[in-house]
Amino acid sequence: MTTTVRVPEERSARVPAEQRGPGRDRDSVRLLVSCGTEVSHHAFVELPRRLRAGDLLIVNTSPTLASAVDGWIGHARVVVHFSTRGDDGRWAVELRDPDGRGTTRARAGGPAGTEVRLAGDVRLVLEEPLTPYGSRLWWGRVSEPDVLGLLRRHGRPIRYSYTQRDQPLSVYQTVFALPSADGGGSAEMPSAARPFTARLVAELVSRGVQFAPITLHTGVASAEAHEPPYPERYEVPEASARLINAARAGEGRILAVGTTAVRAVESAVDAGGVVRARKGWTDLVVTPERGVRVVDGLHEPEASHLLMLEAIAGRAAIERSYGEALSGLYLWHEFGDVHLILPEGPHTESCSSNCR
């Protein structure tokens, strides 16, 4: 049984940090640092002082797509969330109903054969559920072969009801985002990296912290219920695999920036514990029972996959840190505050030293 966190609605970050007042930037958020069950409170701009030379940050370079597109089923308006492009040209999509406030609410998927009219006389036809045990996401075929072009012309970033207003796509790109060779990207921003700025990255590099880029294109998460992630496309390049293996052989700590980075690198490790250059699809779900083989710690937004966090830090530590975040009035979700989980054990400083 995993930890359950109930977050009051008023603790949701409704706008990005840089829009909350003059002189603020993306890095104007708070940083909760936990090491074992010890917790301390900081500003995110203090992150370079919480890390040390030789530490390695694994970062996701996937760009965010404008994945929400208006459509119609008969005379009823719907919003289509384009989640993941399949190898056969179909797309995993989620249909949602407009809620009258600029956002959407859940809608039952299907049935097979449902036709959705999109802009430019494009048709989307639902074919089958993505998985046999759920009906939220469906495989659909689009009459327009250039779906990524359709998203660029008519799409907007996916927005959930806890946010205050629509934002331009640039707000949902991280400093690490790079164009994909095939034009693909993530339906939702790899949000753990959002507070990083070019200035802060430069300071980390100057202090001897290294970066290992990976790519994992995130699909649509459920805003209504915790769900395990669906299969997603990922790549761990050869250069990054070498950096990770070298850090593991030395005394550097391997810290994943977000659960997407954990999922990618843990999908690329072999039975002997060596990270290999790999790409393809991953359906890995990291749980306490499975554990982690590569990652020592995690940098994540407030709200994430709790089973994965327990696998990295243990249940007692996660319960303590989330309790501190709630009592400390931290903000949740993609525009909110962040949590740095540092490891205990050999070759690391004491938790007291890390949490000062």
Side-chain angles (χ1 to χ4, degrees):
M1 187 178 199
T2 188
T3 307
T4 299
V5 177
R6 298 188 182 279
V7 181
E9 185 177 351
E10 63 270 19
R11 301 320 312 154
S12 296
R14 303 192 67 203
V15 296
E18 63 271 24
Q19 297 178 15
R20 293 180 206 147
R24 296 175 65 91
D25 203 343
R26 287 180 174 222
D27 55 14
S28 302
V29 296
R30 299 171 67 192
L31 175 68
L32 183 76
V33 178
S34 62
C35 180
T37 56
E38 296 185 29
V39 178
S40 60
H41 304 271
H42 307 272
F44 182 74
V45 292
E46 298 175 52
L47 178 66
R49 297 198 291 277
R50 309 269 67 82
L51 304 181
R52 64 187 188 214
D55 285 345
L56 180 69
L57 296 181
I58 304 172
V59 296
N60 189 356
T61 63
S62 178
T64 308
L65 302 176
S67 293
V69 178
D70 290 328
W72 293 264
I73 298 176
H75 296 292
R77 184 176 164 232
V78 296
V79 177
V80 181
H81 289 176
F82 283 83
S83 178
T84 306
R85 180 174 55 183
D87 292 333
D88 60 0
R90 297 187 300 175
W91 278 78
V93 298
E94 178 190 28
L95 301 189
R96 295 181 66 89
D97 287 322
D99 64 2
R101 301 190 301 272
T103 54
T104 60
R105 56 177 175 264
R107 174 191 176 97
T114 296
E115 182 179 273
V116 185
R117 291 180 291 113
L118 305 174
D121 201 32
V122 175
R123 297 292 193 272
L124 164 69
V125 178
L126 302 186
E127 293 189 349
E128 60 181 334
L130 187 64
T131 65
Y133 50 82
S135 61
R136 187 173 64 89
L137 289 175
W138 279 65
W139 285 115
R141 199 169 294 277
V142 186
S143 61
E144 165 60 65
D146 183 15
V147 175
L148 293 171
L150 174 75
L151 299 185
R152 288 192 295 272
R153 294 189 302 272
H154 301 291
R156 61 186 179 276
I158 290 174
R159 175 189 160 203
Y160 290 114
S161 59
Y162 50 78
T163 58
Q164 188 175 81
R165 55 181 175 267
D166 285 343
Q167 298 286 349
L169 185 59
S170 59
V171 166
Y172 291 90
Q173 304 294 1
T174 75
V175 71
F176 303 111
L178 295 172
S180 296
D182 63 356
S186 290
E188 296 181 347
M189 172 178 56
S191 55
R194 190 183 190 280
F196 285 84
T197 60
R199 177 184 61 245
L200 191 132
V201 169
E203 183 178 353
L204 287 166
V205 171
S206 73
R207 289 173 175 262
V209 175
Q210 295 182 297
F211 292 84
I214 59 87
T215 301
L216 187 141
H217 295 320
T218 66
V220 175
S222 171
E224 287 80 23
H226 294 290
E227 292 180 341
Y230 293 98
E232 294 167 322
R233 197 185 301 273
Y234 81 104
E235 180 177 4
V236 176
E238 178 66 37
S240 293
R242 291 178 181 176
L243 281 170
I244 295 165
N245 291 326
R248 294 190 72 206
E251 295 189 359
R253 299 173 297 186
I254 300 172
L255 307 173
V257 179
T259 56
T260 61
V262 177
R263 199 173 186 218
V265 75
E266 293 287 334
S267 298
V269 62
D270 65 19
V274 177
V275 176
R276 304 291 185 184
R278 285 184 182 164
K279 63 180 179 179
W281 292 88
T282 178
D283 59 1
L284 176 67
V285 179
V286 177
T287 64
E289 293 72 27
R290 190 266 185 192
V292 289
R293 300 170 186 168
V294 180
V295 173
D296 297 313
L298 176 67
H299 171 280
E300 53 113 18
E302 292 296 354
S304 201
H305 299 288
L306 295 178
L307 284 174
M308 181 183 288
L309 304 191
E310 287 185 22
I312 294 170
R315 183 174 184 178
I318 296 304
E319 288 180 340
R320 171 68 187 273
S321 60
Y322 268 57
E324 286 278 338
L326 287 169
S327 63
L329 303 182
Y330 279 68
L331 295 178
W332 252 252
H333 300 302
E334 66 267 31
F335 299 144
D337 298 315
V338 291
H339 181 199
L340 175 63
I341 301 171
L342 293 174
E344 294 181 285
H347 309 302
T348 66
E349 300 172 10
S350 70
C351 280
S352 296
S353 174
N354 274 317
C355 284
R356 278 201 301 265

